[in-house]
Amino acid sequence: DGGITQSPKYLFRKEGQNVTLSCEQNLNHDAMYWYRQDPGQGLRLIYYSQIVNDFQKGDIAEGYSVSREKKESFPLTVTSAQKNPTAFYLCASSIGPAAIVYGYTFGSGTRLTVV
Amino acid sequence: QKEVEQDPGPLSVPEGAIVSLNCTYSNSAFQYFMWYRQYSRKGPELLMYTYSSGNKEDGRFTAQVDKSSKYISLFIRDSQPSDSATYLCAMSPNSNSGYALNFGKGTSLLVTP
């Protein structure tokens, strides 16, 4: 079955550490996105990529970095510069930028906690 | 002021009730309106999308857009316990800006047997 796989489901980070969240899709989607979800805040866009080897900052990119070396993969690194990283992180993909008609396909998320 | 406002609830209704979920927005450029459903500890999934004003029906779900009032609604008829989830509205000014979706905070719905 096609879909998006995020790993790990739960991740604990010590202060000052960088951690990388994995996102893999086998839907042959061109566009991929990273969102952060906090209680009472809704979804906020961190980074997006519309094509391999290209990505753009979203609304809250500070303290995060991404790469898009393969169509299937869009890992997110949460750096030590991100002051409040505890959140639920969602990866999504869409058929090109036309996410309106076909919608995003979301992964099941990674819950990151700073300890 | 956020561009999209949505009451977070929680909203609790008995099984079989008609549920009304709503969002308001401030950006008159929004043309595409979507509803996503998110079960606990899962990613959201697209329920419906509508373009501009009007109604759209899909089974027990009806999406309604009133652009003059900048107000959108999702109605769920004959609600079931399996409808218990968080419902997020999302909006975009055009169909080719997948990166430009504006999400509401989500409304938590509980349907009790």
Side-chain angles (χ1 to χ4, degrees):
Chain A
D1 284 338
I4 292 188
T5 301
Q6 287 188 244
S7 63
K9 286 186 78 71
Y10 300 95
L11 185 58
F12 297 89
R13 189 194 95 167
K14 292 182 180 178
E15 295 277 357
Q17 271 187 340
N18 292 355
V19 291
T20 297
L21 283 59
S22 171
C23 178
E24 303 277 333
Q25 55 102 355
N26 60 3
L27 299 163
N28 200 33
H29 284 175
D30 290 310
M32 297 187 74
Y33 314 82
W34 273 105
Y35 281 90
R36 170 177 172 147
Q37 189 173 35
D38 296 280
Q41 290 259 26
L43 296 178
R44 292 184 290 169
L45 183 64
I46 304 172
Y47 268 98
Y48 66 95
S49 168
Q50 294 183 279
I51 198 168
V52 175
N53 291 322
D54 185 59
F55 48 83
Q56 305 296 328
K57 292 182 179 180
D59 301 319
I60 56 165
E62 186 174 348
Y64 300 98
S65 65
V66 294
S67 63
R68 187 85 186 278
E69 297 176 3
K70 298 187 299 180
K71 189 175 186 178
E72 304 78 20
S73 178
F74 192 42
L76 173 74
T77 296
V78 184
T79 75
S80 56
Q82 171 48 239
K83 297 306 177 191
N84 185 23
T86 295
F88 189 50
Y89 290 86
L90 285 161
C91 179
S93 69
S94 67
I95 297 175
I100 309 306
V101 173
Y102 301 105
Y104 287 158
T105 299
F106 280 91
S108 292
T110 293
R111 186 163 299 279
L112 173 64
T113 303
V114 173
V115 296
Chain B
Q1 181 193 9
K2 274 187 67 70
E3 286 194 302
V4 180
E5 298 284 354
Q6 185 175 12
D7 187 335
L11 180 63
S12 181
V13 301
E15 184 176 355
I18 296 175
V19 176
S20 173
L21 304 165
N22 312 295
C23 289
T24 59
Y25 62 96
S26 57
N27 187 346
S28 58
F30 290 147
Q31 297 276 4
Y32 292 84
F33 304 91
M34 291 134 279
W35 286 95
Y36 279 81
R37 177 176 62 196
Q38 184 178 20
Y39 291 113
S40 181
R41 292 186 291 277
K42 296 290 187 184
E45 57 179 338
L46 180 66
L47 272 179
M48 300 178 70
Y49 91 94
T50 52
Y51 169 69
S52 195
S53 285
N55 292 358
K56 186 172 184 178
E57 190 173 317
D58 185 0
R60 297 185 294 110
F61 297 88
T62 299
Q64 193 173 79
V65 176
D66 181 350
K67 289 192 70 183
S68 62
S69 302
K70 296 189 178 68
Y71 188 88
I72 71 170
S73 300
L74 178 70
F75 298 98
I76 307 174
R77 291 186 300 279
D78 187 26
S79 57
Q80 303 295 310
S82 59
D83 294 327
S84 298
T86 296
Y87 291 80
L88 299 105
C89 62
M91 310 179 185
S92 177
N94 58 61
S95 66
N96 282 321
S97 300
Y99 53 85
L101 284 187
N102 287 264
F103 282 90
K105 294 179 181 180
T107 298
S108 176
L109 171 67
L110 177 63
V111 181
T112 56

